[in-house]
Amino acid sequence: MFTVLMLVVAFGAIFFYLPVMKDSAGNVLDSSFNIFYFHMPIAIVAYLAFFVVFVSSILYLRENDSKWDMVSLSAAEVGVIFAFLVLATGSIWAKAIWGWYWVWEPRLTTSLVLFLVYVGYLMLRTALDDPLKRARLSAVFGIVAFVSVPLSFLSIRIWRSAHPLMFGGSLYGQDGGGLEGSSLLLVLLFNMLAFVMLFIGLTSFKFQNEKLGRELEMAKGR
Amino acid sequence: MLKGLNIAFKDLKIESRAREIFISMVVFSLLILIIFSIAFSDLLSSASKTATVASGVLWICFIFAGTLGLNRTFATEVQNGCMDALKMCPIPPNSIYLSKVIFVFLLMLLVEIITIPMFSVLFNYQFTAIIWVGIVILLGSFGFVVVGCLISALVIRARAGEMLLPVLLLPLSLPVIIPAVSATSGLLRGEDIFSLMSYIRLLVVYDFVFFAVSMLVFEYVVED
């Protein structure tokens, strides 16, 4: 409930609180830039979700506790949805600014690949019948899959890329534009917080659901 | 390490007698080449245009042929319970993985050695900087095989595992494939190797990372 409230405030802030955006030359930027306040928090949450899959996969292999398997599954499912939303919001913005929904360039390619890797993770899970085997093998895949996350995250810094860089510098000396003014940063941070809360909420829902499902299976088996 | 070599030697011996995996990999790779040479027949007159498609065509041949080979690597062990026998051997499980990497890597190299001259013939193309191209192809194939053997061992237990292998393997191995393809095409376009160092570095890093991670987790794949 609290998460919903936060999301409402966060979205409201994007549409009503934000001042008009200007670029370094003083030109007023298109309002399509507002989608950035969805796009970046969603992207961060997707990376976070995959990191959770990675950590809980390692913990599963260490401790052999099916709790961690359920955490992996829940985080992966939510992560896939968020990874898709990153692609969708990015494409909408790209259509408005670049004129195309999709361009072949490193950031977009690696993000799409990341999405496909975790779709693969879910496919692998459905293809394995024995629960113990499923948990163990998908944990292995969850660990290996995480290897491509840093590549996607760093792609705009390693390669020349058309994707805008907001914070930090790249290897090619291109600097992040950054956000001028505390109100913009505030909105961004608040959105990020709201989306992280949403992630935690969805994942724990899924986790509870999965737990009840397994208890039901146990009861049926008896 | 040495025990891994022994198992790889066993696989190579079987393969040298039966030749079923190798022949189908080579034929498949050549068929893809022929289809591309038909599709790109207009380009044959211009070497610079051929250079732009060469890297893509070659890597598609290698990757598809490699996937075909990877499909069979663990399938031969599952027949007659050979995998259980291997696990009973007093060797670390990693050496089973290592042996498969060596085996498939050698098969891929042989396929590449046959495919590249055939590309020259079919596309009327003279390769430049062949040593550097060779090194990039070696590094790229190694990374691909390292990921491939792990995934191959994973999906062998799954339903419709052979369908699942390419779906899981291609996106996962992309951190190796992207720099390999880009570096190859840069070299064939006549770019200096030093201007492509960022790709080579990425390729080497991912080779190491994938190899290290696979060595660490492989024992959980075969543990039953």
Side-chain angles (χ1 to χ4, degrees):
Chain A
M1 192 60 223
F2 180 63
T3 309
V4 175
L5 198 71
M6 264 187 95
L7 279 174
V8 169
V9 175
F11 291 176
I14 290 174
F15 291 113
F16 302 111
Y17 176 65
L18 274 183
V20 180
M21 285 289 293
K22 288 183 177 163
D23 66 7
S24 49
N27 302 316
V28 176
L29 281 180
D30 204 50
S31 61
S32 66
F33 185 75
N34 282 356
I35 206 167
F36 168 74
Y37 296 97
F38 295 104
H39 183 68
M40 186 173 162
I42 291 174
I44 298 285
V45 167
Y47 293 139
L48 177 73
F50 298 144
F51 183 66
V52 171
V53 176
F54 175 63
V55 172
S56 57
S57 294
I58 293 176
L59 286 172
Y60 176 78
L61 289 184
R62 274 183 70 100
E63 294 177 7
N64 240 334
D65 185 346
S66 69
K67 177 178 75 187
W68 295 117
D69 180 46
M70 288 190 274
V71 173
S72 308
L73 170 64
S74 321
E77 277 193 359
V78 179
V80 163
I81 294 167
F82 274 82
F84 175 74
L85 286 177
V86 171
L87 296 172
T89 51
S91 295
I92 293 167
W93 179 81
K95 177 68 181 170
I97 299 295
W98 294 338
W100 302 282
Y101 285 111
W102 192 262
V103 193
W104 281 109
E105 63 97 32
R107 189 53 173 284
L108 274 60
T109 312
T110 47
S111 305
L112 179 64
V113 166
L114 200 62
F115 171 66
L116 291 176
V117 166
Y118 282 90
V119 170
Y121 175 86
L122 296 179
M123 282 174 67
L124 178 69
R125 292 195 71 104
T126 54
L128 292 160
D129 292 324
D130 176 27
L132 279 178
K133 201 183 271 179
R134 186 199 308 142
R136 200 182 63 237
L137 295 184
S138 58
V140 169
F141 191 79
I143 293 171
V144 184
F146 187 71
V147 170
S148 56
V149 172
L151 188 74
S152 166
F153 183 68
L154 295 173
S155 57
I156 44 174
R157 290 172 174 79
I158 321 178
W159 289 306
R160 282 174 207 281
S161 165
H163 188 280
L165 182 62
M166 293 307 290
F167 303 101
S170 82
L171 282 183
Y172 288 99
Q174 181 199 4
D175 264 334
L179 288 174
E180 304 267 326
S182 52
S183 63
L184 302 182
L185 266 181
L186 182 75
V187 174
L188 182 66
L189 286 177
F190 195 78
N191 264 279
M192 217 171 280
L193 204 63
F195 273 108
V196 170
M197 296 286 292
L198 180 65
F199 164 69
I200 295 169
L202 286 175
T203 310
S204 59
F205 266 134
K206 173 68 198 169
F207 180 77
Q208 294 297 336
N209 207 337
E210 188 67 22
K211 205 169 155 192
L212 285 174
R214 287 189 191 190
E215 274 167 19
L216 183 68
E217 285 299 312
M218 295 270 280
K220 266 204 243 164
R222 219 180 286 141
Chain B
M1 181 73 194
L2 202 65
K3 284 158 185 159
L5 278 175
N6 276 334
I7 304 173
F9 187 66
K10 172 215 75 157
D11 284 336
L12 284 171
K13 213 169 181 177
I14 296 173
E15 187 55 35
S16 72
R17 304 255 165 83
R19 293 193 203 91
E20 49 181 8
I21 307 178
F22 178 63
I23 297 284
S24 46
M25 278 170 82
V26 171
V27 172
F28 188 52
S29 166
L30 294 182
L31 281 173
I32 298 170
L33 261 190
I34 289 166
I35 292 170
F36 272 121
S37 85
I38 298 166
F40 293 143
S41 56
D42 304 345
L43 302 181
L44 293 184
S45 51
S46 144
S48 66
K49 277 183 189 161
T50 312
T52 55
V53 297
S55 137
V57 171
L58 284 175
W59 274 105
I60 288 176
C61 291
F62 301 159
I63 289 165
F64 282 15
T67 313
L68 205 62
L70 287 167
N71 251 334
R72 296 303 303 164
T73 43
F74 281 94
T76 49
E77 302 290 10
V78 172
Q79 283 169 13
N80 304 330
C82 184
M83 198 66 195
D84 296 325
L86 273 181
K87 275 187 286 185
M88 261 185 268
C89 289
I91 49 170
N94 284 348
S95 41
I96 302 176
Y97 170 73
L98 207 60
S99 75
K100 293 298 171 189
V101 171
I102 297 169
F103 173 60
V104 184
F105 185 57
L106 286 178
L107 281 187
M108 259 188 98
L109 281 191
L110 286 175
V111 171
E112 283 157 5
I113 289 171
I114 295 171
T115 306
I116 292 175
M118 279 306 286
F119 180 86
S120 261
V121 172
L122 287 175
F123 282 76
N124 187 26
Y125 179 71
Q126 186 79 43
F127 276 95
T128 50
I130 190 74
I131 295 170
W132 286 114
V133 172
I135 290 174
V136 170
I137 288 177
L138 278 181
L139 288 172
S141 315
F142 179 71
F144 179 74
V145 169
V146 161
V147 188
C149 283
L150 185 72
I151 303 299
S152 168
L154 267 182
V155 298
I156 201 74
R157 283 102 196 289
R159 260 183 293 118
E162 274 153 26
M163 302 263 289
L164 211 53
L165 177 74
V167 178
L168 297 183
L169 174 57
L170 290 182
L172 205 58
S173 58
L174 227 77
V176 183
I177 296 173
I178 293 176
V181 174
S182 313
T184 314
S185 74
L187 284 170
L188 293 181
R189 274 200 309 266
E191 278 176 41
D192 189 23
I193 182 74
F194 296 105
S195 63
L196 298 166
M197 261 313 164
S198 65
Y199 290 122
I200 311 272
R201 234 180 285 145
L202 198 67
L203 195 54
V204 173
V205 167
Y206 264 100
D207 276 0
F208 272 114
V209 170
F210 275 132
F211 188 63
V213 173
S214 304
M215 287 295 265
L216 284 174
V217 296
F218 186 76
E219 64 179 293
Y220 296 104
V221 178
V222 290
E223 155 198 305
D224 262 322

